[in-house]
Structures are given as C-alpha cells and as structure tokens.
Amino acid sequence: MIYTSRFANPELKTGKYTAVRISVGSPRWKLAYEVAGAMTELMPKGIFGKYDDDKAAFEVEYRKRLTCIGVEYIRKILRQYEQLGKDVVLLCFEDVRKGEVDWCHRTMFAKWWQEQTGEVISELPDPSTPKIVKPKKKVDDPQTTLFQP
C-alpha cells in the first residue's frame, strides 16, 4: 500500500513503513526512522516557491509535470520501493490536517494518481495533535491597537 505523510508523523517511528522523500529539501532535524530514498519525479522542482500564494496555479504546473513523467514511469519507481516489503510513505513537510493554510503537493499527487489509475493513496494516520497557528492580526486591523492614549 502507498500513503502520503509528513516527515514529523510519529507513526513513522514504528518501522512499519518504507519512507520516501518527495520534498525538494530534506529535514534539517534527525529523524527517528530511515528514509529509503527520494523520488525526484514527484518533487515540485522548478515550481517550488514560485506559486506560494496561488495554489491553483501551482497545481496546474505540478500536474503538467506529473503528466509529462507519466503513470507507468512513476508506477515503476513505486514498485521498486514496494519490493522492500513494507507499505510505502511519500513524505514532505506540510501538516495537511491544518486545512488550506498548509496545502501540499503530496495531496495533489494523490488526487492526480487516483484520477489517472483509480488507485487511492491515503494520508497515513497521524496520532499527534495538529499545531494550529492562529493568523496574525494586521497592523491596520481596527481591533489591533498599537498604543493606548
């Protein structure tokens, strides 16, 4: 079975999974599990950071990339990881449980894959509590006072 998840998911410490990086960068902290490899084909190279404020434009470009690479080539690489005998987890950084504020290419890949193959790639259950970051108040927000008379 194939899943998606974030590097910080504590479930990965169980050792039940073959962890595969699909993020452009690697974690800068020590992981409590081994990463078996990286799939550059699923990384958003060339578009990472380019569309931070425009999810729709990012998705269009990422889907173009996936389509150019193709289902059969991606399947071939995924099978190599599956042959290691454990469920495969495709990893990047975002905690998608936070909702739209932390959208991610891995969920876009999973959706594209299902559309192309009919196969569902689910998010690996994450037993930790999501850290919801409250939006900062804007300086021009009338509810925010910079000083009091």
Side-chain angles (χ1 to χ4, degrees), residues 27-44:
R28 295 180 186 219
W29 68 90
K30 183 163 176 51
L31 297 172
Y33 57 90
E34 185 178 326
V35 175
M39 282 186 70
T40 58
E41 297 79 7
L42 301 185
M43 295 176 187

Side-chain angles (χ1 to χ4, degrees), residues 43-118:
M43 295 176 187
K45 287 189 172 192
I47 57 174
F48 178 73
K50 193 173 180 181
Y51 300 100
D52 288 347
D53 297 328
D54 191 346
K55 177 183 176 184
F58 179 96
E59 187 164 8
V60 166
E61 293 303 313
Y62 186 58
R63 284 173 165 268
K64 283 182 192 176
R65 176 178 169 75
L66 295 172
T67 300
C68 284
I69 295 165
V71 169
E72 289 312 310
Y73 189 72
I74 294 169
R75 185 185 305 279
K76 178 181 172 185
I77 297 167
L78 289 172
R79 282 189 178 140
Q80 291 173 349
Y81 286 112
E82 287 177 310
Q83 288 176 353
L84 297 175
K86 298 178 184 177
D87 290 340
V88 174
V89 184
L90 306 173
L91 299 170
C92 65
F93 294 95
E94 289 73 27
D95 188 347
V96 297
R97 300 173 301 164
K98 295 178 184 178
E100 288 298 310
V101 70
D102 222 0
W103 55 272
C104 178
H105 76 287
R106 74 177 185 260
T107 58
M108 292 176 186
F109 167 69
K111 182 179 173 185
W112 177 86
W113 187 259
Q114 184 174 6
E115 290 168 2
Q116 301 301 310
T117 67

